[in-house]
């Protein structure tokens, strides 16, 4: 399994971030780009961690897509549902 994970990381061709369980694993359904973890209102009481397409707001980006932002709870719920289907 370790060798498979090393091959997978090599195939994605980008730096791997192991900061989160879902890092380099959540992929945009529109364009195939990666989602990344972002913090909204980081120094305010309404601090919230969301996941969004990494290149969503880059000017001139040819892969600008309209996929929604996701919360980690949403990702976890969808992961459990997909695991239930597979097993």
């Amino acid at each position: 399994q370790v060798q498979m994970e090393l091959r997978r990381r090599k195939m994605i061709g980008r730096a791997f971030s192991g900061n989160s369980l879902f890092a380099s694993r959540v992929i945009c359904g529109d364009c195939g780009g990666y989602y990344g973890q972002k913090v909204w209102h980081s120094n305010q009481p309404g601090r919230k961690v969301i996941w969004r397409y990494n290149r969503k707001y880059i000017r001139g980006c040819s892969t600008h897509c309209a996929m929604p932002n996701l919360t980690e709870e949403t990702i976890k719920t969808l992961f459990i549902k997909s695991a239930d289907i597979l097993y």
Side-chain angles (χ1 to χ4, degrees):
Q1 286 182 336
V2 170
Q3 295 303 316
M4 285 176 29
E5 177 64 12
L6 290 172
R7 282 193 295 275
R8 185 190 74 81
R9 290 180 188 185
K10 188 175 183 178
M11 277 180 36
I12 57 179
R14 63 187 292 266
F16 177 77
S17 169
N19 293 338
S20 170
L21 177 63
F22 300 111
S24 298
R25 288 187 170 84
V26 180
I27 300 172
C28 176
D30 243 3
C31 65
Y34 290 96
Y35 268 62
Q37 197 175 30
K38 310 292 184 256
V39 179
W40 285 352
H41 310 292
S42 62
N43 58 354
Q44 296 175 359
R47 184 179 194 276
K48 184 177 183 181
V49 177
I50 59 108
W51 288 75
R52 74 161 194 232
Y53 175 55
N54 282 330
R55 298 180 58 105
K56 186 170 187 164
Y57 295 111
I58 295 176
R59 292 181 188 186
C61 179
S62 62
T63 57
H64 186 80
C65 65
M67 293 302 286
N69 297 329
L70 302 169
T71 64
E72 189 147 344
E73 290 304 314
T74 301
I75 294 171
K76 286 178 182 178
T77 301
L78 293 172
F79 175 80
I80 291 169
K81 284 182 181 180
S82 64
D84 287 343
I85 291 169
L86 290 173
Y87 300 108

